[in-house]
PDB file of all heavy atoms in Angstrom:
ATOM      1  N   ASN A 464      30.294  -3.212   7.219  1.00  0.00           N
ATOM      2  CA  ASN A 464      29.769  -3.944   8.371  1.00  0.00           C
ATOM      3  C   ASN A 464      29.195  -5.307   7.996  1.00  0.00           C
ATOM      4  O   ASN A 464      28.498  -5.936   8.806  1.00  0.00           O
ATOM      5  CB  ASN A 464      28.685  -3.110   9.066  1.00  0.00           C
ATOM      6  CG  ASN A 464      29.258  -1.921   9.803  1.00  0.00           C
ATOM      7  OD1 ASN A 464      29.688  -2.017  10.951  1.00  0.00           O
ATOM      8  ND2 ASN A 464      29.294  -0.775   9.130  1.00  0.00           N
ATOM      9  N   GLY A 465      29.466  -5.774   6.783  1.00  0.00           N
ATOM     10  CA  GLY A 465      29.063  -7.118   6.388  1.00  0.00           C
ATOM     11  C   GLY A 465      27.615  -7.248   5.952  1.00  0.00           C
ATOM     12  O   GLY A 465      27.071  -8.350   5.975  1.00  0.00           O
ATOM     13  N   TYR A 466      26.995  -6.152   5.550  1.00  0.00           N
ATOM     14  CA  TYR A 466      25.591  -6.233   5.126  1.00  0.00           C
ATOM     15  C   TYR A 466      25.507  -6.813   3.716  1.00  0.00           C
ATOM     16  O   TYR A 466      26.325  -6.490   2.847  1.00  0.00           O
ATOM     17  CB  TYR A 466      24.950  -4.855   5.152  1.00  0.00           C
ATOM     18  CG  TYR A 466      23.567  -4.817   4.551  1.00  0.00           C
ATOM     19  CD1 TYR A 466      22.471  -5.278   5.264  1.00  0.00           C
ATOM     20  CD2 TYR A 466      23.366  -4.345   3.255  1.00  0.00           C
ATOM     21  CE1 TYR A 466      21.204  -5.256   4.713  1.00  0.00           C
ATOM     22  CE2 TYR A 466      22.106  -4.316   2.695  1.00  0.00           C
ATOM     23  CZ  TYR A 466      21.033  -4.771   3.436  1.00  0.00           C
ATOM     24  OH  TYR A 466      19.773  -4.747   2.887  1.00  0.00           O
ATOM     25  N   GLN A 467      24.537  -7.675   3.510  1.00  0.00           N
ATOM     26  CA  GLN A 467      24.271  -8.250   2.191  1.00  0.00           C
ATOM     27  C   GLN A 467      22.792  -8.123   1.884  1.00  0.00           C
ATOM     28  O   GLN A 467      21.962  -8.336   2.775  1.00  0.00           O
ATOM     29  CB  GLN A 467      24.677  -9.726   2.144  1.00  0.00           C
ATOM     30  CG  GLN A 467      26.174  -9.948   2.223  1.00  0.00           C
ATOM     31  CD  GLN A 467      26.544 -11.416   2.143  1.00  0.00           C
ATOM     32  OE1 GLN A 467      25.675 -12.272   2.172  1.00  0.00           O
ATOM     33  NE2 GLN A 467      27.834 -11.690   2.046  1.00  0.00           N
ATOM     34  N   PRO A 468      22.433  -7.799   0.652  1.00  0.00           N
ATOM     35  CA  PRO A 468      21.013  -7.700   0.296  1.00  0.00           C
ATOM     36  C   PRO A 468      20.305  -9.037   0.440  1.00  0.00           C
ATOM     37  O   PRO A 468      20.915 -10.109   0.456  1.00  0.00           O
ATOM     38  CB  PRO A 468      21.041  -7.227  -1.169  1.00  0.00           C
ATOM     39  CG  PRO A 468      22.391  -6.617  -1.352  1.00  0.00           C
ATOM     40  CD  PRO A 468      23.307  -7.358  -0.452  1.00  0.00           C
ATOM     41  N   GLU A 469      19.007  -8.963   0.524  1.00  0.00           N
ATOM     42  CA  GLU A 469      18.195 -10.168   0.741  1.00  0.00           C
ATOM     43  C   GLU A 469      18.320 -11.143  -0.423  1.00  0.00           C
ATOM     44  O   GLU A 469      18.401 -12.358  -0.226  1.00  0.00           O
ATOM     45  CB  GLU A 469      16.731  -9.766   0.952  1.00  0.00           C
ATOM     46  CG  GLU A 469      15.804 -10.933   1.228  1.00  0.00           C
ATOM     47  CD  GLU A 469      14.366 -10.500   1.390  1.00  0.00           C
ATOM     48  OE1 GLU A 469      14.089  -9.296   1.233  1.00  0.00           O
ATOM     49  OE2 GLU A 469      13.515 -11.376   1.671  1.00  0.00           O
ATOM     50  N   TRP A 470      18.339 -10.616  -1.662  1.00  0.00           N
ATOM     51  CA  TRP A 470      18.368 -11.521  -2.811  1.00  0.00           C
ATOM     52  C   TRP A 470      19.696 -12.268  -2.913  1.00  0.00           C
ATOM     53  O   TRP A 470      19.740 -13.415  -3.380  1.00  0.00           O
ATOM     54  CB  TRP A 470      18.073 -10.750  -4.081  1.00  0.00           C
ATOM     55  CG  TRP A 470      19.094  -9.726  -4.473  1.00  0.00           C
ATOM     56  CD1 TRP A 470      19.189  -8.459  -4.038  1.00  0.00           C
ATOM     57  CD2 TRP A 470      20.177  -9.915  -5.394  1.00  0.00           C
ATOM     58  NE1 TRP A 470      20.259  -7.821  -4.611  1.00  0.00           N
ATOM     59  CE2 TRP A 470      20.885  -8.691  -5.459  1.00  0.00           C
ATOM     60  CE3 TRP A 470      20.625 -10.977  -6.163  1.00  0.00           C
ATOM     61  CZ2 TRP A 470      21.990  -8.512  -6.257  1.00  0.00           C
ATOM     62  CZ3 TRP A 470      21.739 -10.806  -6.977  1.00  0.00           C
ATOM     63  CH2 TRP A 470      22.411  -9.589  -7.014  1.00  0.00           C
ATOM     64  N   ILE A 471      20.771 -11.663  -2.440  1.00  0.00           N
ATOM     65  CA  ILE A 471      22.062 -12.356  -2.456  1.00  0.00           C
ATOM     66  C   ILE A 471      22.066 -13.495  -1.439  1.00  0.00           C
ATOM     67  O   ILE A 471      22.552 -14.612  -1.715  1.00  0.00           O
ATOM     68  CB  ILE A 471      23.199 -11.359  -2.182  1.00  0.00           C
ATOM     69  CG1 ILE A 471      23.347 -10.386  -3.363  1.00  0.00           C
ATOM     70  CG2 ILE A 471      24.516 -12.085  -1.932  1.00  0.00           C
ATOM     71  CD1 ILE A 471      24.412  -9.359  -3.184  1.00  0.00           C
ATOM     72  N   LEU A 472      21.499 -13.232  -0.267  1.00  0.00           N
ATOM     73  CA  LEU A 472      21.417 -14.293   0.737  1.00  0.00           C
ATOM     74  C   LEU A 472      20.530 -15.440   0.259  1.00  0.00           C
ATOM     75  O   LEU A 472      20.852 -16.621   0.476  1.00  0.00           O
ATOM     76  CB  LEU A 472      20.870 -13.713   2.046  1.00  0.00           C
ATOM     77  CG  LEU A 472      21.751 -12.654   2.725  1.00  0.00           C
ATOM     78  CD1 LEU A 472      21.049 -12.090   3.950  1.00  0.00           C
ATOM     79  CD2 LEU A 472      23.104 -13.235   3.112  1.00  0.00           C
ATOM     80  N   LEU A 473      19.412 -15.104  -0.403  1.00  0.00           N
ATOM     81  CA  LEU A 473      18.540 -16.154  -0.930  1.00  0.00           C
ATOM     82  C   LEU A 473      19.240 -16.980  -2.004  1.00  0.00           C
ATOM     83  O   LEU A 473      19.111 -18.213  -2.052  1.00  0.00           O
ATOM     84  CB  LEU A 473      17.260 -15.521  -1.488  1.00  0.00           C
ATOM     85  CG  LEU A 473      16.197 -15.104  -0.478  1.00  0.00           C
ATOM     86  CD1 LEU A 473      15.060 -14.385  -1.182  1.00  0.00           C
ATOM     87  CD2 LEU A 473      15.658 -16.319   0.263  1.00  0.00           C
ATOM     88  N   GLN A 474      19.967 -16.298  -2.882  1.00  0.00           N
ATOM     89  CA  GLN A 474      20.682 -17.018  -3.935  1.00  0.00           C
ATOM     90  C   GLN A 474      21.728 -17.969  -3.349  1.00  0.00           C
ATOM     91  O   GLN A 474      21.862 -19.128  -3.781  1.00  0.00           O
ATOM     92  CB  GLN A 474      21.340 -16.011  -4.870  1.00  0.00           C
ATOM     93  CG  GLN A 474      21.992 -16.631  -6.089  1.00  0.00           C
ATOM     94  CD  GLN A 474      22.641 -15.587  -6.976  1.00  0.00           C
ATOM     95  OE1 GLN A 474      23.015 -14.509  -6.503  1.00  0.00           O
ATOM     96  NE2 GLN A 474      22.775 -15.874  -8.242  1.00  0.00           N
ATOM     97  N   LYS A 475      22.447 -17.504  -2.347  1.00  0.00           N
ATOM     98  CA  LYS A 475      23.445 -18.347  -1.698  1.00  0.00           C
ATOM     99  C   LYS A 475      22.787 -19.538  -1.011  1.00  0.00           C
ATOM    100  O   LYS A 475      23.273 -20.681  -1.101  1.00  0.00           O
ATOM    101  CB  LYS A 475      24.223 -17.512  -0.681  1.00  0.00           C
ATOM    102  CG  LYS A 475      25.360 -18.240  -0.007  1.00  0.00           C
ATOM    103  CD  LYS A 475      26.089 -17.315   0.945  1.00  0.00           C
ATOM    104  CE  LYS A 475      27.228 -18.042   1.644  1.00  0.00           C
ATOM    105  NZ  LYS A 475      27.931 -17.146   2.604  1.00  0.00           N
ATOM    106  N   GLU A 476      21.667 -19.295  -0.357  1.00  0.00           N
ATOM    107  CA  GLU A 476      20.961 -20.383   0.327  1.00  0.00           C
ATOM    108  C   GLU A 476      20.435 -21.419  -0.667  1.00  0.00           C
ATOM    109  O   GLU A 476      20.518 -22.630  -0.417  1.00  0.00           O
ATOM    110  CB  GLU A 476      19.801 -19.787   1.134  1.00  0.00           C
ATOM    111  CG  GLU A 476      19.012 -20.813   1.926  1.00  0.00           C
ATOM    112  CD  GLU A 476      17.858 -20.182   2.669  1.00  0.00           C
ATOM    113  OE1 GLU A 476      17.697 -18.950   2.577  1.00  0.00           O
ATOM    114  OE2 GLU A 476      17.099 -20.925   3.330  1.00  0.00           O
ATOM    115  N   ILE A 477      19.922 -20.969  -1.806  1.00  0.00           N
ATOM    116  CA  ILE A 477      19.404 -21.908  -2.814  1.00  0.00           C
ATOM    117  C   ILE A 477      20.535 -22.772  -3.368  1.00  0.00           C
ATOM    118  O   ILE A 477      20.390 -23.998  -3.527  1.00  0.00           O
ATOM    119  CB  ILE A 477      18.688 -21.130  -3.930  1.00  0.00           C
ATOM    120  CG1 ILE A 477      17.374 -20.523  -3.405  1.00  0.00           C
ATOM    121  CG2 ILE A 477      18.386 -22.027  -5.124  1.00  0.00           C
ATOM    122  CD1 ILE A 477      16.727 -19.546  -4.355  1.00  0.00           C
ATOM    123  N   ARG A 478      21.660 -22.163  -3.670  1.00  0.00           N
ATOM    124  CA  ARG A 478      22.778 -22.937  -4.218  1.00  0.00           C
ATOM    125  C   ARG A 478      23.317 -23.943  -3.209  1.00  0.00           C
ATOM    126  O   ARG A 478      23.616 -25.099  -3.567  1.00  0.00           O
ATOM    127  CB  ARG A 478      23.886 -21.980  -4.650  1.00  0.00           C
ATOM    128  CG  ARG A 478      23.524 -21.149  -5.875  1.00  0.00           C
ATOM    129  CD  ARG A 478      24.619 -20.162  -6.213  1.00  0.00           C
ATOM    130  NE  ARG A 478      24.293 -19.423  -7.430  1.00  0.00           N
ATOM    131  CZ  ARG A 478      25.020 -18.422  -7.912  1.00  0.00           C
ATOM    132  NH1 ARG A 478      26.141 -18.053  -7.269  1.00  0.00           N
ATOM    133  NH2 ARG A 478      24.659 -17.798  -9.014  1.00  0.00           N
ATOM    134  N   GLU A 479      23.427 -23.553  -1.962  1.00  0.00           N
ATOM    135  CA  GLU A 479      23.897 -24.490  -0.940  1.00  0.00           C
ATOM    136  C   GLU A 479      22.905 -25.632  -0.744  1.00  0.00           C
ATOM    137  O   GLU A 479      23.304 -26.797  -0.566  1.00  0.00           O
ATOM    138  CB  GLU A 479      24.112 -23.749   0.378  1.00  0.00           C
ATOM    139  CG  GLU A 479      25.273 -22.772   0.350  1.00  0.00           C
ATOM    140  CD  GLU A 479      25.413 -22.013   1.654  1.00  0.00           C
ATOM    141  OE1 GLU A 479      24.514 -22.167   2.519  1.00  0.00           O
ATOM    142  OE2 GLU A 479      26.404 -21.267   1.802  1.00  0.00           O
ATOM    143  N   THR A 480      21.603 -25.319  -0.811  1.00  0.00           N
ATOM    144  CA  THR A 480      20.589 -26.362  -0.614  1.00  0.00           C
ATOM    145  C   THR A 480      20.613 -27.380  -1.737  1.00  0.00           C
ATOM    146  O   THR A 480      20.543 -28.599  -1.505  1.00  0.00           O
ATOM    147  CB  THR A 480      19.199 -25.712  -0.505  1.00  0.00           C
ATOM    148  OG1 THR A 480      19.206 -24.752   0.544  1.00  0.00           O
ATOM    149  CG2 THR A 480      18.146 -26.760  -0.204  1.00  0.00           C
ATOM    150  N   ILE A 481      20.709 -26.926  -2.998  1.00  0.00           N
ATOM    151  CA  ILE A 481      20.694 -27.873  -4.119  1.00  0.00           C
ATOM    152  C   ILE A 481      21.962 -28.745  -4.120  1.00  0.00           C
ATOM    153  O   ILE A 481      21.895 -29.938  -4.435  1.00  0.00           O
ATOM    154  CB  ILE A 481      20.513 -27.123  -5.463  1.00  0.00           C
ATOM    155  CG1 ILE A 481      20.236 -28.114  -6.586  1.00  0.00           C
ATOM    156  CG2 ILE A 481      21.702 -26.256  -5.754  1.00  0.00           C
ATOM    157  CD1 ILE A 481      18.966 -28.895  -6.414  1.00  0.00           C
ATOM    158  N   GLU A 482      23.097 -28.179  -3.732  1.00  0.00           N
ATOM    159  CA  GLU A 482      24.316 -28.992  -3.653  1.00  0.00           C
ATOM    160  C   GLU A 482      24.204 -30.039  -2.548  1.00  0.00           C
ATOM    161  O   GLU A 482      24.641 -31.195  -2.721  1.00  0.00           O
ATOM    162  CB  GLU A 482      25.524 -28.084  -3.401  1.00  0.00           C
ATOM    163  CG  GLU A 482      25.873 -27.177  -4.567  1.00  0.00           C
ATOM    164  CD  GLU A 482      26.269 -27.974  -5.813  1.00  0.00           C
ATOM    165  OE1 GLU A 482      26.805 -29.100  -5.660  1.00  0.00           O
ATOM    166  OE2 GLU A 482      26.042 -27.469  -6.928  1.00  0.00           O
ATOM    167  N   ARG A 483      23.595 -29.654  -1.433  1.00  0.00           N
ATOM    168  CA  ARG A 483      23.423 -30.606  -0.342  1.00  0.00           C
ATOM    169  C   ARG A 483      22.475 -31.736  -0.749  1.00  0.00           C
ATOM    170  O   ARG A 483      22.726 -32.916  -0.447  1.00  0.00           O
ATOM    171  CB  ARG A 483      22.884 -29.873   0.893  1.00  0.00           C
ATOM    172  CG  ARG A 483      22.616 -30.773   2.089  1.00  0.00           C
ATOM    173  CD  ARG A 483      22.240 -29.939   3.293  1.00  0.00           C
ATOM    174  NE  ARG A 483      21.105 -29.071   3.000  1.00  0.00           N
ATOM    175  CZ  ARG A 483      19.833 -29.462   3.003  1.00  0.00           C
ATOM    176  NH1 ARG A 483      19.539 -30.742   3.265  1.00  0.00           N
ATOM    177  NH2 ARG A 483      18.865 -28.614   2.753  1.00  0.00           N
ATOM    178  N   LEU A 484      21.380 -31.381  -1.448  1.00  0.00           N
ATOM    179  CA  LEU A 484      20.440 -32.412  -1.893  1.00  0.00           C
ATOM    180  C   LEU A 484      21.086 -33.352  -2.905  1.00  0.00           C
ATOM    181  O   LEU A 484      20.876 -34.575  -2.865  1.00  0.00           O
ATOM    182  CB  LEU A 484      19.202 -31.744  -2.498  1.00  0.00           C
ATOM    183  CG  LEU A 484      18.300 -30.976  -1.522  1.00  0.00           C
ATOM    184  CD1 LEU A 484      17.167 -30.293  -2.273  1.00  0.00           C
ATOM    185  CD2 LEU A 484      17.737 -31.905  -0.462  1.00  0.00           C
ATOM    186  N   ARG A 485      21.878 -32.822  -3.819  1.00  0.00           N
ATOM    187  CA  ARG A 485      22.533 -33.666  -4.822  1.00  0.00           C
ATOM    188  C   ARG A 485      23.514 -34.632  -4.175  1.00  0.00           C
ATOM    189  O   ARG A 485      23.561 -35.833  -4.513  1.00  0.00           O
ATOM    190  CB  ARG A 485      23.244 -32.789  -5.847  1.00  0.00           C
ATOM    191  CG  ARG A 485      22.299 -32.052  -6.791  1.00  0.00           C
ATOM    192  CD  ARG A 485      23.049 -31.019  -7.606  1.00  0.00           C
ATOM    193  NE  ARG A 485      22.153 -30.338  -8.544  1.00  0.00           N
ATOM    194  CZ  ARG A 485      22.499 -29.280  -9.286  1.00  0.00           C
ATOM    195  NH1 ARG A 485      23.751 -28.785  -9.179  1.00  0.00           N
ATOM    196  NH2 ARG A 485      21.640 -28.718 -10.103  1.00  0.00           N
ATOM    197  N   SER A 486      24.316 -34.131  -3.254  1.00  0.00           N
ATOM    198  CA  SER A 486      25.287 -35.014  -2.592  1.00  0.00           C
ATOM    199  C   SER A 486      24.596 -36.060  -1.725  1.00  0.00           C
ATOM    200  O   SER A 486      25.049 -37.220  -1.652  1.00  0.00           O
ATOM    201  CB  SER A 486      26.238 -34.174  -1.739  1.00  0.00           C
ATOM    202  OG  SER A 486      25.520 -33.454  -0.759  1.00  0.00           O
TER     203      SER A 486
END
Side-chain angles (χ1 to χ4, degrees):
N464 288 275
Y466 172 78
Q467 291 181 352
E469 182 182 3
W470 66 276
I471 292 179
L472 296 176
L473 282 175
Q474 186 181 25
K475 184 178 179 181
E476 182 182 359
I477 290 170
R478 290 177 177 175
E479 292 177 353
T480 304
I481 191 63
E482 292 298 330
R483 178 174 55 80
L484 292 176
R485 288 170 178 172
S486 60

